[in-house]
Amino acid sequence: MSHPLRSRYAALPKAHLHVHLEAAMRESTLRQWCAEDRIEVPPLVDYPDFAQFLDAYGVLIGLLHTPERVEQLLDEVVADAASQGVVALEYASIPEKAAAFGTAEEALEFILPAAAEAGRRHGVWTGAIVSIDRGAGPDHARDAAHLAARFADRGVVAVGLVNDERDGPVAGAAEAFEIARAAGLGVVPHAGEMAGPEEVRAAVELGVDRIQHGVRAVEDPAVVELLVERGTCLDVCPTSNITLGVYPSLERHPLAALLEAGVRCSIGADDPLLFGVDVVDEYALAEERIRVSPERLVECARTSIEASFAPEEVKRGALARL
Ligand code: ADE
Ligand code: ZN
């Protein structure tokens, strides 16, 4: 990728709304911790199927077994975000996995202030998305939502819904979403990635705030129309979709078509370490390979800021700099 493009998009103020904390680990840090723990470095960038992608993800999670490591991870992730022009970072994680040295409650009590502290150090607003594992059943979903709700005024901004959509439809999390919403939290499930447009429709009908991926809406014009009508933002991560086999190449990715139809989209990197791209690369690749115009990409940055859960003053400051 050309360097002038990278520096242009690094300078663009943006919110990063779709990124999983553990998978935003630096590669140098991964290699160091694997060496310390005497385990093999997982495969990066190449996954024959979703299950093997989740296996690599599991290795990253397994490295986060001390508070010092989680603190270092948060500092590095937020520092990297700052250097990518990110003014607001919404990082997703399953708390008890991202900080595997206590209960879920203790994990959040550690992660949230450490993230806020890193945010102050590097000049980035941070908000946590508590991910519900869609394969872990209704008790887990309810517990995760209640947990997120207890931290609604301490840095948690939303609940998400992650892992393979083929393991459970978005409607299965309806009760968890209600719990989150009653606490004033946002709802931002993954949908329309491994499953088709019917799951995007189901998410919109549940009243979600944004959809992570959502790109397969493009297969049904009525669902595209619904997204436009509701103004629902899709947090799109093109390279993730290629690596996990949703589309054969960036040239065939539907981001340009969705924007052309009037769908609001933010751009994210999903799992930067596992897909070999950061959010700046994703903007540059969208221009170079998906053929989205620079003007539309500035609109994506604007949308990301507007659609984020950051406080109004953070948004106003960032929008003024666009
Ligand atoms: N967790 C991390 N990345 C994910 C993805 N692309 N889809 C579902 N769950 C995820
Ligand atoms: Zn994701």
Side-chain angles (χ1 to χ4, degrees):
M1 174 180 324
S2 72
H3 287 291
L5 261 194
R6 250 202 79 89
S7 34
R8 170 142 48 89
Y9 286 114
L12 186 64
K14 61 183 80 60
H16 195 180
L17 306 180
H18 188 167
V19 59
H20 301 269
L21 174 64
E22 309 81 30
M25 188 183 291
R26 290 179 184 167
E27 188 174 338
S28 53
T29 302
L30 165 74
R31 291 187 183 281
Q32 187 196 330
W33 288 347
C34 283
E36 285 172 17
D37 290 2
R38 298 177 194 285
I39 60 168
E40 255 183 67
V41 176
L44 302 175
V45 178
D46 186 19
Y47 312 101
D49 55 35
F50 200 85
Q52 293 183 56
F53 158 71
L54 286 184
D55 288 346
Y57 203 101
V59 175
L60 308 183
I61 287 170
L63 294 168
L64 298 170
H65 50 71
T66 68
E68 292 73 22
R69 283 192 180 179
V70 177
E71 199 165 21
Q72 182 182 334
L73 173 72
L74 283 163
D75 184 69
E76 292 178 354
V77 169
V78 176
D80 292 347
S83 72
Q84 295 154 6
V86 172
V87 296
L89 173 67
E90 296 185 11
Y91 60 98
S93 76
I94 299 177
E96 64 272 33
K97 292 194 172 164
F101 42 80
T103 63
E105 190 101 23
E106 286 164 345
L108 272 185
E109 274 165 6
F110 184 83
I111 290 171
L112 296 172
E117 195 46 53
R120 277 189 288 277
R121 257 193 314 276
H122 301 295
V124 178
W125 173 87
T126 65
I129 298 173
V130 170
S131 299
I132 297 167
D133 176 351
R134 69 195 326 143
D139 288 350
H140 157 76
R142 210 176 300 114
D143 290 350
H146 281 303
L147 173 74
R150 288 198 293 281
F151 288 88
D153 56 353
R154 285 186 274 166
V156 173
V157 293
V159 295
L161 183 66
V162 300
N163 292 347
D164 196 331
E165 272 182 284
R166 293 164 294 198
D167 288 340
V170 73
E175 187 195 344
F177 292 170
E178 281 308 315
I179 294 165
R181 223 188 310 276
L185 292 173
V187 176
V188 295
H190 285 57
E193 177 197 27
M194 295 297 153
E198 64 286 353
E199 280 295 293
V200 178
R201 178 186 289 283
V204 173
E205 286 172 353
L206 284 174
V208 304
D209 296 278
R210 303 192 311 258
I211 298 175
Q212 309 238 286
H213 298 299
V215 285
R216 289 190 56 195
V218 80
E219 293 165 32
D220 183 343
V223 177
V224 172
E225 205 173 302
L226 181 66
L227 288 171
V228 174
E229 203 179 280
R230 299 284 180 96
T232 310
C233 174
L234 304 183
D235 302 326
V236 177
C237 308
T239 301
S240 164
N241 296 152
I242 309 313
T243 310
L244 294 178
V246 182
Y247 299 105
S249 66
L250 284 169
E251 286 71 17
R252 306 268 293 274
H253 193 279
L255 173 62
L258 289 163
L259 290 167
E260 181 67 32
V263 178
R264 300 171 77 217
C265 296
S266 83
I267 291 177
D270 208 3
D271 302 292
L273 175 61
L274 298 178
F275 301 140
V277 288
D278 64 20
V279 66
V280 177
D281 294 322
E282 291 288 53
Y283 274 84
L285 288 167
E287 178 179 333
E288 233 174 31
R289 306 268 310 273
I290 310 179
R291 301 280 168 205
V292 179
S293 71
E295 294 73 23
R296 281 243 159 91
L297 288 165
V298 173
E299 277 314 300
C300 290
R302 179 184 306 282
T303 298
S304 71
I305 295 162
E306 288 171 348
S308 97
F309 298 111
E312 283 309 316
E313 67 269 20
V314 172
K315 294 189 186 189
R316 263 199 305 275
L319 289 171
R321 287 176 41 229
L322 259 187

